[in-house]
Amino acid sequence: MNFVLFGLGVLFTKGVLWTGEDGGDRAMAMVARRRRRGEAAVPPCVLRNLFPADRLIADKRRRFMSDHLTPAEAETAFWKSLKQSNTGMLGIERPGYHHQPMTGFGEPETGTIWFFTRNDTDFARDVAAGGQMGMFCYQARDEKLQACIHGRLAIDLDRERIDRFWNPVVAAWYPDGKADPHLTLIRFDGDDGRVWVSDAGVLGFGYQILKANLTKSTPEAGGVADVNLG
């Protein structure tokens, strides 16, 4: 069996998977040899043998197909991902308002995300005005999960949360430590949102793109579900 994932540097041939620069070079060399012989650049065996290779993609991916991703699964995946890579874009839900990168600390049990900031920023002053609804847009570092969550914003100088989430990265922004007069904690009480999950990884994504192009179908990009964190 042979298959090539063009542009991704992946070649599978004779039971060996080549990736990276070496895979790309071998893939292009194989295509060149076939063209010199007057054969199709992509061998017919691709169509016969590639697509049964669904087993090459982890079983976990199939659990997250659109028809099977439940709100509970989506919410669990969101909180797990946020713990592993916790930076997203947070802003007030207002026309023309610019979101900004913020690092969040999640509490799944309460549906709350906490953000450290400073009270001398425009964002903190806007939140302090009260009654503000916000939106948190998130993409995992490994690009396997995206989310858009609505919620209520408030200033909440909760000392227990400050102690719990304090770390060297946070401390770098406050010269006077936890007693810094500019230290501010924003509380985001999550409400309704939407979560997209794809556990296929780079190889699985490339496989779906190749299959869609060769079979004139659409890729199975993963699952999506509406959630309510409140």
Side-chain angles (χ1 to χ4, degrees), residues 122-149:
D122 290 338
F123 182 55
R125 285 191 286 265
D126 291 340
V127 173
Q132 302 289 2
M133 297 300 294
M135 180 183 295
F136 181 55
C137 297
Y138 172 79
Q139 176 167 280
R141 185 181 293 117
D142 59 12
E143 300 183 6
K144 291 184 178 181
L145 185 144
Q146 293 82 28
C148 184
I149 309 295

Side-chain angles (χ1 to χ4, degrees), residues 123-212:
F123 182 55
R125 285 191 286 265
D126 291 340
V127 173
Q132 302 289 2
M133 297 300 294
M135 180 183 295
F136 181 55
C137 297
Y138 172 79
Q139 176 167 280
R141 185 181 293 117
D142 59 12
E143 300 183 6
K144 291 184 178 181
L145 185 144
Q146 293 82 28
C148 184
I149 309 295
H150 297 271
R152 184 171 297 276
L153 293 164
I155 300 295
D156 188 344
L157 295 176
D158 188 302
R159 302 309 305 184
E160 192 275 329
R161 263 73 177 195
I162 291 174
D163 290 339
R164 185 194 308 179
F165 300 130
W166 191 263
N167 61 51
V169 176
V170 171
W173 298 97
Y174 305 100
D176 295 326
K178 298 176 186 178
D180 194 298
H182 294 299
L183 190 155
T184 299
L185 200 61
I186 291 179
R187 174 179 179 141
F188 178 80
D189 293 311
D191 195 359
D192 62 292
R194 181 164 292 179
V195 177
W196 294 260
V197 179
S198 175
D199 207 35
V202 175
L203 179 59
F205 176 76
Y207 164 80
Q208 289 296 330
I209 296 299
L210 178 62
K211 184 174 76 169

Side-chain angles (χ1 to χ4, degrees), residues 54-126:
D54 278 335
R55 63 183 179 275
L56 295 176
I57 299 173
D59 289 339
K60 290 189 297 181
R61 182 191 65 79
R62 289 193 289 271
R63 287 198 306 110
F64 291 114
M65 299 312 298
S66 300
D67 294 338
H68 301 101
L69 182 65
T70 67
E73 289 175 327
E75 184 175 339
T76 298
F78 169 71
W79 289 117
K80 179 180 179 181
S81 181
L82 185 66
K83 186 176 182 179
Q84 295 171 343
S85 60
N86 58 348
T87 299
M89 300 294 290
L90 180 67
I92 292 175
E93 197 170 2
R94 180 192 302 167
Y97 199 93
H98 296 290
H99 287 48
Q100 53 192 293
M102 301 282 286
T103 298
F105 299 88
E107 285 186 348
E109 62 275 15
T110 62
T112 306
I113 307 175
W114 299 84
F115 300 88
F116 285 92
T117 187
R118 295 173 57 90
N119 59 15
D120 54 0
T121 64
D122 290 338
F123 182 55
R125 285 191 286 265
D126 291 340

Side-chain angles (χ1 to χ4, degrees), residues 1-15:
M1 181 179 72
N2 301 291
F3 70 78
V4 182
L5 301 185
F6 294 99
L8 294 178
V10 174
L11 169 67
F12 185 86
T13 181
K14 297 180 180 179

